[in-house]
Amino acid sequence: MENYLQQLNEAQHKAVINTEGPSLVIAGAGSGKTRVLTYRIAYLLEKGIAPWSVLALTFTNKAAREMKNRIGQIVGQETASKLWMGTFHSVFAKILRIESEKLGYPSSFSIYDTADSKSLINSILKEMGLNKEKAYRPGTVLGRISAAKNDLIIPAVYARDPQRTSADAAARLFRMPEIYQRYMRECRKAGAMDFDDLLLNTNILFRDNPDVLEKYQTRFQYILVDEYQDTNFSQYLITRKLAEKHKNICVVGDDAQSIYSFRGAKIENILNFRNDYQGYQLFKLEQNYRSTQNIVNAANSIIAHNDKQIKKEVYSQNEEGQKINMFQAQSEVDEGFIVINDINDTRLRNQCQYQDFAILYRTNAQSRIFEEALRKKNMPYKIYGGLSFYQRKEIKDLLAYLRITVNPRDSEALKRVINYPARGIGKTTMEKIENLANQNNLSLWEVITNPALPNTGFNSGTLKKLSSFARLISGFMSQAPNMSAFDLTNEIATQSGIMKELHQEKSQENQTRIENLEELFNAIREFSDERQESGENNSLVDFLEEVSLLTDQDNDKPDDLNKVTLMTIHAAKGLEFKNVYIVGVEEGLFPSSMASATEPGIEEERRLFYVALTRAEERVTLTCARNRYKYGELTFARPSRFLGEINQEYLNIPAESRSFAPTGKETGSFAKKKRFNLKDDSAQEKKKFNFSGKTLQNNDSPSRFNSLAPGEQSQIQPGVIIEHERFGQGKVLHLEGVAPNIKATVFFKNAGQKQLLLKFAKLKIIT
């Protein structure tokens, strides 16, 4: 790729060629940060820097692959392949395998995914007699362990940490220190690490082995970190240690897009970069190439309300574009119909594809309404972030066989397949094996292959079954060194009985499972071929590591089919769509009720709203509902404060929704007063919320609709305009039946034609 530097604007060019010393690149949404990071690495290589002395850390394997490919187009694929480039977890897993002996782990250690970790925790809770206590949910326990690891808190320190132990006591999790200790002990016994261990153990490796730290400090002359605002304390400390010798560290990110504090990300890492690295250079990428001017300006007006930020002036030289549309629906059902009808109309009017549309929401639970509306319109859609290919049962079953072949100490994998396909090793037998393992500090594999096993109380039939399973796995282990990953997987799928099991029942479900396994074989073949071509390791251990470290964006491809995309805003980060619908923009939902209690929480929610807006290239629509069901009760919904913080100059508000729209004059005071009717008549008015000319007290019933009394039913005639609490406004087409069982056929603008029994329908007569 010739003259690649000429493709850069002035700010990008400076960020690429100034490679010495610490650098902070603040990259606004759509400003070409990936291009800058890619070209900066290519520029280093063209200057003669050895590729193996460059460490580039990303947050997805997809980003690393794309960057490495683009670098290869400039400097050659062979040179690019020698870069140390990948996600934090994949790069440091590589280092941990090299240095595993220093930590007492096998080089073929397993990497537990979330399901494995929860399964192990569930076993521990059961052993401790805590599995029936509601406070001790595996997901809750794992979340606390993960948070501790990200803060580099090991079990011994956890037990002495007053802040953590008091928080555990408040949540009635009094035995968390013991659970954490047992969890770590069981992982080590199984020769396994979870995701967080890959970072925790890298820190421990560098702390306890100065010679190892010095080796990698010397090797990595240049360190580059993508999405630095998303780093946690553990990641921050590793990169800081590695950069101490050469101090050539370049971090790229956007503090305005720091939205992962719930995963341990610390915005302070990017805000305090100037304090950590004296004499740093600051580069600001402020031109947005993705979105129209209106979208960029609206996003700027919203993020300006945050105090904790590195100031920048993002701008766009694209066309001015449409103003942002705002709609207030009667209910969440009405909201669903409004959004889907608008997608259909826009698609037909502008000759768009379904894949040009994305519906973004704050919580996964909101997807149901939009799924139902899409199905009723027979429109194709995909929920992004659904079940990953590698989380499907048949895939996890075969992967478990592969895992114990390379690491027989992997107890979670062994438990998964010791009786699949069924070989008569039941629950009681497994409980005995687990008890023996715990009593003797052994792995499950060490128990079932122990010469003393016949003396432990198992009957001859059970011993025969356990011996048969052990021989099966031992056979796979002996074949592994002499077979390719693909051939070995094929052998395991056949000899284990998995394929026979699936072929026995000719159901569509089993056929799909067989096809999925065939796709796994394809994945292994592609992996082996690609690694072989690039001269990289292509063993079964390497394949299992790559699968274990896939991120959400690596697993899901929102643009692989022509479908409307539904996804949370968190999942949308890094993606872009021509048309974006941000739905449920209401207090308690967005911002979420949990975040609203603190100023840092509100600021992160505002950054999340900024991220949502800047996913759009051409068109944004914001929607909220007047009423929304919560826990089965119809509640009054208040428009989000964020709607009042957007400069009205960039908004298009239909007349029927103007009751919640801000004015330019009031925008500044809106956030401070946290008021939603945007009027300042009196102190009493601050306790009211205004919708369509109707003012409700906070404690009023949320619904303005009632079932019609017999006398009122006579007012319903063909041609009358009514309003329904869920479907919005509609026109009565005709009536049938006699009182009190009169049924009305009504055409609703958003919901289409419905039949309503008047004595039960909650309606309001408009005209």
Side-chain angles (χ1 to χ4, degrees), residues 158-350:
Y158 189 104
R160 301 193 303 269
D161 186 332
Q163 185 176 351
R164 280 185 159 78
T165 52
S166 61
D168 290 341
R172 304 188 65 78
L173 294 165
F174 303 103
R175 301 182 71 181
M176 267 302 305
E178 184 183 355
I179 296 169
Y180 185 12
Q181 188 173 43
R182 289 194 182 203
Y183 176 77
M184 291 292 279
R185 187 178 67 220
E186 292 300 318
C187 283
R188 181 172 285 276
K189 191 196 302 182
M193 300 186 197
D194 65 18
F195 293 157
D196 300 311
D197 284 328
L198 297 174
L199 302 178
L200 174 63
N201 285 334
T202 301
N203 273 292
I204 292 173
L205 174 70
F206 290 162
R207 181 198 68 188
D208 297 345
N209 300 274
D211 57 324
V212 174
L213 173 60
E214 201 276 335
K215 178 173 82 171
Y216 290 102
Q217 285 176 332
T218 301
R219 166 173 288 191
F220 299 132
Q221 297 178 40
Y222 292 87
I223 299 171
L224 302 98
V225 185
D226 192 15
E227 304 287 8
Y228 192 64
Q229 77 282 348
D230 293 335
T231 54
N232 59 33
F233 178 66
S234 187
Q235 292 163 327
Y236 158 83
L237 197 60
I238 293 170
T239 52
R240 189 167 182 192
K241 282 180 180 178
L242 288 173
E244 280 178 355
K245 184 169 186 177
H246 298 290
K247 295 184 171 57
N248 294 322
I249 181 170
C250 173
V251 304
V252 182
D254 182 6
D255 55 292
Q257 297 185 67
S258 178
I259 59 173
Y260 293 120
S261 66
F262 66 95
R263 293 182 184 171
K266 295 187 179 299
I267 191 174
E268 292 78 13
N269 292 349
I270 194 167
L271 295 178
N272 295 335
F273 185 87
R274 61 182 179 181
N275 300 325
D276 293 332
Y277 299 94
Q278 299 299 318
Y280 82 109
Q281 300 180 86
L282 175 64
F283 304 97
K284 294 183 180 180
L285 309 182
E286 297 172 305
Q287 183 174 352
N288 180 306
Y289 290 93
R290 175 189 302 149
S291 308
T292 64
Q293 294 178 32
N294 262 313
I295 292 172
V296 170
N297 292 337
N300 286 343
S301 71
I302 210 51
I303 203 63
H305 288 78
N306 271 9
D307 291 327
K308 293 178 71 173
Q309 61 174 299
I310 298 171
K311 294 291 184 182
K312 59 183 177 298
E313 295 295 328
V314 180
Y315 66 94
S316 171
Q317 292 184 348
N318 296 339
E319 61 181 15
E320 182 178 356
Q322 298 181 34
K323 291 186 176 183
I324 291 175
N325 294 312
M326 295 173 67
F327 292 106
Q328 186 179 36
Q330 183 59 49
S331 66
E332 70 261 50
V333 174
D334 192 30
E335 181 185 34
F337 284 119
I338 287 175
V339 168
I340 302 317
N341 285 338
D342 193 68
I343 289 175
N344 202 37
D345 292 345
T346 304
R347 184 182 67 86
L348 295 173
R349 184 172 59 251
N350 298 335

Side-chain angles (χ1 to χ4, degrees), residues 121-135:
I121 287 171
N122 202 45
S123 297
I124 293 169
L125 294 176
K126 185 177 180 182
E127 181 188 332
M128 295 173 66
L130 299 173
N131 56 316
K132 291 182 170 56
E133 295 189 27
K134 290 184 179 179

Side-chain angles (χ1 to χ4, degrees), residues 51 119 127 218 233 248 302 320 382 402 434 538 543 598 729:
S119 175
E127 181 188 332
T218 301
F233 178 66
N248 294 322
I302 210 51
E320 182 178 356
K382 169 176 175 154
L402 302 182
E434 289 183 72
N538 63 348
F543 174 74
T598 65
Q729 288 191 5

Side-chain angles (χ1 to χ4, degrees), residues 574-632:
L575 303 177
E576 56 189 43
F577 302 90
K578 286 185 179 179
N579 305 276
V580 168
Y581 294 79
I582 307 171
V583 300
V585 191
E586 301 153 20
E587 284 297 307
L589 194 55
F590 197 12
S592 75
S593 55
M594 289 192 296
S596 301
T598 65
E599 193 58 35
I602 285 295
E603 291 215 348
E604 176 147 338
E605 290 289 297
R606 192 176 284 115
R607 293 194 293 269
L608 189 59
F609 191 64
Y610 175 86
V611 167
L613 285 171
T614 54
R615 297 312 91 202
E617 298 174 359
E618 299 176 1
R619 189 170 170 271
V620 175
T621 301
L622 307 173
T623 68
C624 63
R626 288 187 174 93
N627 302 304
R628 188 175 293 274
Y629 276 99
K630 292 183 180 178
Y631 304 107

Side-chain angles (χ1 to χ4, degrees), residues 569-731:
I569 301 166
H570 281 102
K573 187 170 176 292
L575 303 177
E576 56 189 43
F577 302 90
K578 286 185 179 179
N579 305 276
V580 168
Y581 294 79
I582 307 171
V583 300
V585 191
E586 301 153 20
E587 284 297 307
L589 194 55
F590 197 12
S592 75
S593 55
M594 289 192 296
S596 301
T598 65
E599 193 58 35
I602 285 295
E603 291 215 348
E604 176 147 338
E605 290 289 297
R606 192 176 284 115
R607 293 194 293 269
L608 189 59
F609 191 64
Y610 175 86
V611 167
L613 285 171
T614 54
R615 297 312 91 202
E617 298 174 359
E618 299 176 1
R619 189 170 170 271
V620 175
T621 301
L622 307 173
T623 68
C624 63
R626 288 187 174 93
N627 302 304
R628 188 175 293 274
Y629 276 99
K630 292 183 180 178
Y631 304 107
E633 296 291 329
L634 190 64
T635 60
F636 177 71
R638 296 178 288 165
S640 170
R641 70 193 71 190
F642 299 150
L643 297 176
E645 293 175 353
I646 302 175
N647 191 323
Q648 191 182 17
E649 178 184 350
Y650 310 118
L651 301 176
N652 174 40
I653 309 163
E656 61 267 26
S657 298
R658 291 192 181 278
S659 56
F660 72 82
T663 66
K665 182 179 179 181
E666 293 160 330
T667 299
S669 62
F670 182 82
K672 296 176 184 177
K673 296 181 180 178
K674 295 183 181 178
R675 293 168 56 238
F676 304 90
N677 62 341
L678 304 176
K679 293 186 177 181
D680 199 13
D681 298 334
S682 65
Q684 182 65 24
E685 281 294 314
K686 295 180 182 180
K687 298 179 181 179
K688 301 176 181 179
F689 309 106
N690 190 26
F691 289 94
S692 301
K694 171 82 172 177
T695 301
L696 296 177
Q697 296 289 349
N698 287 339
N699 58 359
D700 282 352
S701 168
S703 179
R704 296 177 287 133
F705 304 86
N706 297 292
S707 297
L708 299 176
E712 294 177 301
Q713 291 181 24
S714 62
Q715 299 176 41
I716 302 293
Q717 298 294 329
V720 167
I721 305 299
I722 54 91
E723 190 169 0
H724 186 274
E725 68 175 355
R726 288 191 299 141
F727 304 133
Q729 288 191 5
K731 183 177 182 179

